Amino acid sequence: MNLDSLTQNSGEWLRAVGPEADIVISSRIRLARNLSSFPFTNRANTHQKAEIEQYLQGRLQKLDIDLQLDYFNLATITPLDRQLLVERQLVSRELANSEGPRGVAVGANEIVSVMINEEDHVRLQVIRSGFSMDEAWQEADRLDDKLEEKVPYAFSEELGYLTACPTNVGTGLRASVMLHLPALVLTKQIEKVFRALQKINLAVRGLYGEGSRASGDFYQISNQVTLGKSETTIINEIRDVIPQIIAYERQARQTLTRESRPLILDRVKRAFGVLKSAAMMTSEETMDLLSSVRLGVNLGLIDDINIVVVNQLFIHTQPAHLQKLLGRELDSEERNSERARFLRNRLSEMDSMN
Amino acid sequence: MQKCERCTSPATVHITEVLGEGKFEEHHVCEQCYPKYLHDSADLGQGAKALTSDSGGSELEEALFGQQECPDCGIKFVDFRNNHRLGCSRDYDVFRNELIPLLENIHGETRHVGKTPRRYPQTKQAEAEMLQLRQRIKRAVDREDYEEAARLRDQIKTQEDV
């Protein structure tokens, strides 16, 4: 796998396959693990971090699994490539922006990624398209077992897997589901949903995790509690609440098409028109317009474009992807005009295909 | 949307502190202020401990306690308070008294009930041996016995490859 070929496609989580893929973009499992014989990453010196990296990388290569893992050394690749991996959700922003020996092993299809020397020595992630929490967990659990055969994890019977931050201790598990909720945003019911989720201890975040804005009406819902509940309980609590949110979103979509069809049609068509003809386009505006178009496609209001292409545009118009696709670095103003040009080209290709 | 009680951002974390005797306290903070909140509530936890302690010198005890250092990674609890990250897995033992109330606050529980590594008992032993070896290397390097250090390093390598 090389990063340039990665850029051309959209990765598993935006493939728009899997159950409820019109609303549930992806399901993700993350496990935090540490080596018992080293200090946590924040306390390890460069030498120790290099040792940890080398040790884990060696073990990952020897895993008894039918999955090829490609390793990217984050200390030596360009900042643009690091950003690319962040946009693809294979690497956290924290890991990309930190320093010292660190990296990520990525499986084919980009379903599996294992970050090394993030806040914890190991951050194992499985991300699947659509509402596939159980499949994601089974895969993460299996990989964790395989890695654990070769690596002594820091574990205590009382507190479970020991992590650098006490908010992750216990299972070290963060289960999250990314949802596209444009109708709940438009009908101003989204806050109500948030409040209900917070009452049951679930966190709501934007597209790129902690502290990020929910651009494009994408929301990630995840557990906060990691100690005192089994993995299955944590996953079930998330899994049980998602169908309710899906139902609310569908209801809101119905209300919109029933009560304000001309308005919503206008919104979708305008969004499409702007994307097809603007000369400057920020990444934020692109996300918001694509969100309206995505809603339009799912409501059958627009058939000029299919959902897979919309999903792909979400990622290809991100700053690092855009620059990689064009093969050069761009400042932010250049990016805005190149992004607009890219969208015009892609969407007029669609027109000529229809 | 409710505002964070510490800044002007929207509150995204909602906490109910159980004060005992059926008394509760509600707190609403944002993601950014949440670590600070945890840190302050850890202070509270410690305060409570000082109050219930029957030894008269609890203040002195606490002062000494905050200064206690992890023999493995060298951090003090005050370091954890400042950057919200522990230094190594042993800190969970060393700062146990401070951490347990904090875990109770965050998770509402203080005992793991999830997955256990299948080879946990062996791991524990291998882990202890490995730690010992690493300490011996450090001592060898300190006394500039590089031959011994190299020998120990090879030993770690073979053990790790098993």
Side-chain angles (χ1 to χ4, degrees):
Chain A
M1 183 189 296
N2 85 40
L3 286 172
D4 297 321
S5 68
L6 215 64
T7 319
Q8 303 297 326
N9 57 44
S10 66
E12 160 72 11
W13 63 280
L14 272 174
R15 271 179 50 225
V17 293
E20 318 276 5
D22 57 332
I23 294 175
V24 186
I25 305 292
S26 62
S27 305
R28 169 156 64 163
I29 294 288
R30 183 271 275 153
L31 294 172
R33 303 286 188 251
N34 286 281
L35 302 181
S36 53
S37 47
F38 286 93
F40 293 143
T41 312
N42 73 88
R43 204 55 198 171
N45 59 34
T46 307
H47 179 74
Q48 286 168 318
K49 280 198 227 174
E51 237 181 300
I52 294 165
E53 184 188 29
Q54 198 192 359
Y55 178 81
L56 283 170
Q57 201 194 335
R59 295 301 173 290
L60 282 169
Q61 270 161 11
K62 286 190 226 148
L63 284 194
D64 174 25
I65 49 167
D66 49 1
L67 175 70
Q68 156 94 26
L69 290 170
D70 289 306
Y71 192 73
F72 299 107
N73 181 335
L74 291 191
T76 57
I77 65 173
T78 64
L80 190 61
D81 283 339
R82 286 201 286 268
Q83 179 61 27
L84 184 86
L85 290 168
V86 173
E87 288 172 6
R88 297 185 86 79
Q89 304 225 322
L90 295 171
V91 155
S92 66
R93 223 185 302 186
E94 293 71 28
L95 186 71
N97 298 338
S98 71
E99 277 172 9
R102 64 198 193 283
V104 64
V106 180
N109 301 333
E110 301 171 61
I111 292 175
V112 168
S113 77
V114 185
M115 287 185 262
I116 298 180
N117 282 337
E118 220 260 14
E119 179 182 304
D120 297 296
H121 298 145
V122 178
R123 286 277 178 101
L124 192 159
Q125 168 184 291
V126 175
I127 185 163
R128 301 203 66 118
S129 188
F131 188 25
S132 317
M133 214 70 225
D134 290 336
E135 289 81 356
W137 162 245
Q138 279 156 18
E139 177 131 30
D141 188 29
R142 193 178 63 95
L143 262 168
D144 182 50
D145 284 346
K146 291 290 179 190
L147 189 56
E148 190 258 324
E149 284 173 11
K150 301 203 182 295
V151 174
Y153 286 152
F155 181 86
S156 106
E157 238 160 294
E158 185 192 10
L159 297 176
Y161 294 93
L162 304 175
T163 51
C165 186
T167 52
N168 295 315
V169 80
T171 57
L173 168 70
R174 192 80 61 219
S176 62
V177 177
M178 178 139 56
L179 303 170
H180 186 225
L181 303 173
L184 285 175
V185 174
L186 277 173
T187 55
K188 301 195 164 52
Q189 298 178 81
I190 196 85
E191 303 277 326
K192 216 164 62 188
V193 175
F194 288 177
R195 277 198 296 274
L197 289 172
Q198 276 147 6
K199 265 189 202 138
I200 52 170
N201 272 323
L202 297 179
V204 184
R205 298 192 171 92
L207 177 57
Y208 286 106
E210 239 158 288
S212 71
R213 187 186 161 242
S215 52
D217 305 319
F218 291 112
Y219 294 91
Q220 277 188 67
I221 292 160
S222 60
N223 63 302
Q224 281 180 314
V225 168
T226 57
L227 181 65
K229 286 180 185 173
S230 73
E231 288 82 358
T232 323
T233 307
I234 292 172
I235 287 161
N236 287 347
E237 281 176 4
I238 299 251
R239 208 192 44 197
D240 291 348
V241 81
I242 299 298
Q244 295 176 45
I245 303 176
I246 296 175
Y248 283 140
E249 170 68 19
R250 290 206 197 291
Q251 221 169 47
R253 289 181 184 192
Q254 268 172 15
T255 311
L256 282 175
T257 39
R258 201 176 49 231
E259 289 168 16
S260 1
R261 192 184 160 89
L263 272 174
I264 203 74
L265 185 64
D266 181 61
R267 187 185 175 92
V268 171
K269 293 277 185 191
R270 274 172 190 272
F272 196 60
V274 172
L275 286 168
K276 260 197 324 196
S277 53
M280 295 283 272
M281 192 69 89
T282 64
S283 154
E284 278 302 302
E285 188 182 5
T286 307
M287 297 281 280
D288 290 342
L289 295 172
L290 282 173
S291 174
S292 294
V293 171
R294 194 174 192 279
L295 176 66
V297 175
N298 283 330
L299 291 178
L301 296 174
I302 184 171
D303 54 10
D304 316 51
I305 183 168
N306 75 43
I307 204 81
V308 178
V309 176
V310 180
N311 279 4
Q312 203 169 51
L313 287 175
F314 271 112
I315 191 142
H316 282 172
T317 54
Q318 298 284 321
H321 275 78
L322 190 69
Q323 293 174 74
K324 291 290 282 187
L325 286 169
L326 294 174
R328 62 197 169 96
E329 291 197 23
L330 305 164
D331 65 32
S332 108
E333 198 174 304
E334 285 174 316
R335 278 209 296 278
N336 291 343
S337 70
E338 288 300 337
R339 182 178 292 112
R341 187 204 306 275
F342 178 80
L343 285 161
R344 285 199 308 271
N345 289 343
R346 287 303 305 275
L347 296 173
S348 60
E349 274 168 35
M350 299 295 307
D351 271 353
S352 59
M353 270 158 61
N354 283 329
Chain B
M1 191 174 213
Q2 191 153 18
K3 286 258 159 62
C4 171
E5 60 192 42
R6 291 169 176 246
C7 69
T8 52
S9 311
T12 50
V13 185
H14 305 275
I15 306 120
T16 307
E17 297 278 10
V18 182
L19 302 172
E21 293 165 19
K23 282 191 201 149
F24 301 93
E25 208 174 271
E26 298 253 356
H27 292 281
H28 309 273
V29 293
C30 69
E31 298 254 351
Q32 278 70 41
C33 293
Y34 184 50
K36 265 200 233 145
Y37 172 85
L38 289 179
H39 155 206
D40 294 348
S41 56
D43 281 345
L44 274 179
Q46 245 200 2
K49 185 181 136 267
L51 284 174
T52 51
S53 165
D54 47 16
S55 75
S58 59
E59 232 179 66
L60 178 68
E61 207 175 72
E62 200 185 318
L64 288 171
F65 225 68
Q67 292 306 306
Q68 194 188 342
E69 203 178 275
C70 170
D72 278 358
C73 70
I75 74 158
K76 295 173 183 166
F77 195 66
V78 56
D79 298 322
F80 166 69
R81 283 188 184 160
N82 291 335
N83 71 9
H84 314 294
R85 300 287 177 271
L86 293 164
C88 74
S89 47
R90 192 168 172 185
D91 293 348
Y92 282 97
D93 278 333
V94 178
F95 307 122
R96 191 192 150 80
N97 290 340
E98 290 90 339
L99 284 173
I100 293 290
L102 187 75
L103 292 174
E104 177 106 52
N105 264 329
I106 304 170
H107 302 285
E109 296 285 344
T110 57
R111 202 162 173 104
H112 177 59
V113 293
K115 188 174 173 175
T116 299
R118 238 170 267 165
R119 55 170 214 156
Y120 176 57
Q122 293 120 283
T123 308
K124 218 168 163 182
Q125 201 188 343
E127 190 182 296
E129 278 170 26
M130 208 58 97
L131 250 158
Q132 229 172 30
L133 280 171
R134 285 188 204 286
Q135 277 163 358
R136 277 166 64 191
I137 288 189
K138 196 171 168 289
R139 281 199 294 271
V141 171
D142 285 346
R143 57 171 196 271
E144 296 182 17
D145 184 351
Y146 298 112
E147 227 170 286
E148 170 74 355
R151 197 186 61 76
L152 290 166
R153 173 143 302 229
D154 290 344
Q155 198 178 333
I156 287 189
K157 259 215 150 72
T158 28
Q159 286 215 1
E160 279 181 350
D161 288 335
V162 175

